[in-house]
Amino acid sequence: MASYRDTVQAIQPVIPALFDALQYGLTTATSDHADYRLKRDDDQHYYVHQARRLAVEELTRQGFLARDEDSGRPLVPMSGIFIGYRGVALRVYRTSKARSGKIAPPLPGRSVKKQEFWRQEPALDGLDADNILLTWSDDQGRLDEQMRMYRPVAGDHRRDSFKCSWEGKLTRAMANLRAEDLRLLQADIEYPNLETGTT
């Protein structure tokens, strides 16, 4: 099992590109909405979909997004973000903050493929990697400075079904941490009895 520390170290080269791509998508979506006098609150899905779609294109240009070798299509549908990098299978989701300010982890819902990912089953055939969830949010089109990572081990459509072995923050500054600084990183929360998907 990859620890929080190991995961941050593995994805360090991806961190700036991910933050930049998401902010680019948000900035462009905000600008387009202003140009066409659209209100984000009238159709939240459209705004967020556009922001993610542009982030996907930017990450693809930089070579970070996994694509099907035969079709050339992304390995997750539409504006989904999936990055396979250095033993980490990273799925990126936008999440909303609760009124308390706490960010709820995403659930796989009734999707069998997503539930498999949450149970740490291989994200792709032959891929030996830890499945990690990364969530982001924004405030009026400005990407929040802190994202959250989770190593899930279970989940379905019920909120109480979600289980993870650890969770912790991800910030842009972590891209510049030295090896000795990385060794000091600790997850915000650890569940040592939930190391695998078998409960």
Side-chain angles (χ1 to χ4, degrees), residues 118-121 151-154 163 194-199:
W118 265 246
R119 291 193 304 261
Q120 292 297 318
E121 295 180 27
R151 185 184 182 277
V153 294
K163 292 180 176 57
L194 295 175
E195 292 189 357
T196 67
T198 53
T199 55

Side-chain angles (χ1 to χ4, degrees), residues 104-168:
L107 296 174
R110 298 182 188 277
S111 164
V112 172
K113 289 299 286 179
K114 287 182 180 179
Q115 288 179 14
E116 290 172 352
F117 187 91
W118 265 246
R119 291 193 304 261
Q120 292 297 318
E121 295 180 27
L124 303 172
D125 288 341
L127 180 64
D128 182 21
D130 260 51
N131 297 341
I132 304 296
L133 303 173
L134 178 65
T135 62
W136 62 274
S137 57
D138 74 286
D139 184 11
Q140 301 299 312
R142 184 159 190 80
L143 184 65
D144 286 345
E145 293 179 4
Q146 183 174 294
M147 298 185 192
R148 292 222 43 94
M149 289 195 304
Y150 307 84
R151 185 184 182 277
V153 294
D156 55 33
H157 62 285
R158 297 164 297 137
R159 176 58 54 200
D160 64 355
S161 70
F162 181 80
K163 292 180 176 57
C164 66
S165 51
W166 54 257
E167 63 178 273

Side-chain angles (χ1 to χ4, degrees), residues 5-151:
R5 178 185 309 113
D6 294 340
T7 301
V8 174
Q9 184 172 19
I11 66 169
Q12 260 192 314
V14 181
I15 295 171
L18 188 55
F19 273 82
D20 288 346
L22 286 168
Q23 186 56 66
Y24 165 73
L26 288 165
T27 300
T28 306
T30 299
S31 176
D32 284 356
H33 273 60
D35 289 347
Y36 291 104
R37 297 189 178 116
L38 300 174
K39 294 180 181 175
R40 174 177 175 172
D41 289 342
D42 289 347
D43 188 349
Q44 280 281 350
H45 295 294
Y46 172 66
Y47 176 91
V48 174
H49 178 79
Q50 183 184 12
R52 269 195 316 258
R53 187 76 184 92
L54 292 166
V56 163
E57 290 303 313
E58 188 61 26
L59 287 165
T60 300
R61 273 194 290 275
Q62 295 186 47
F64 285 115
L65 281 199
R67 289 186 169 264
D68 182 272
E69 291 181 11
D70 296 326
S71 69
R73 291 180 150 180
L75 292 173
V76 293
M78 301 296 286
S79 62
I81 300 176
F82 173 83
I83 299 171
Y85 196 80
R86 292 185 179 171
V88 175
L90 195 67
R91 285 192 79 136
V92 184
Y93 291 92
R94 181 185 179 273
T95 189
S96 299
K97 291 178 184 174
R99 289 183 184 170
S100 64
K102 185 173 168 60
I103 296 174
L107 296 174
R110 298 182 188 277
S111 164
V112 172
K113 289 299 286 179
K114 287 182 180 179
Q115 288 179 14
E116 290 172 352
F117 187 91
W118 265 246
R119 291 193 304 261
Q120 292 297 318
E121 295 180 27
L124 303 172
D125 288 341
L127 180 64
D128 182 21
D130 260 51
N131 297 341
I132 304 296
L133 303 173
L134 178 65
T135 62
W136 62 274
S137 57
D138 74 286
D139 184 11
Q140 301 299 312
R142 184 159 190 80
L143 184 65
D144 286 345
E145 293 179 4
Q146 183 174 294
M147 298 185 192
R148 292 222 43 94
M149 289 195 304
Y150 307 84
R151 185 184 182 277

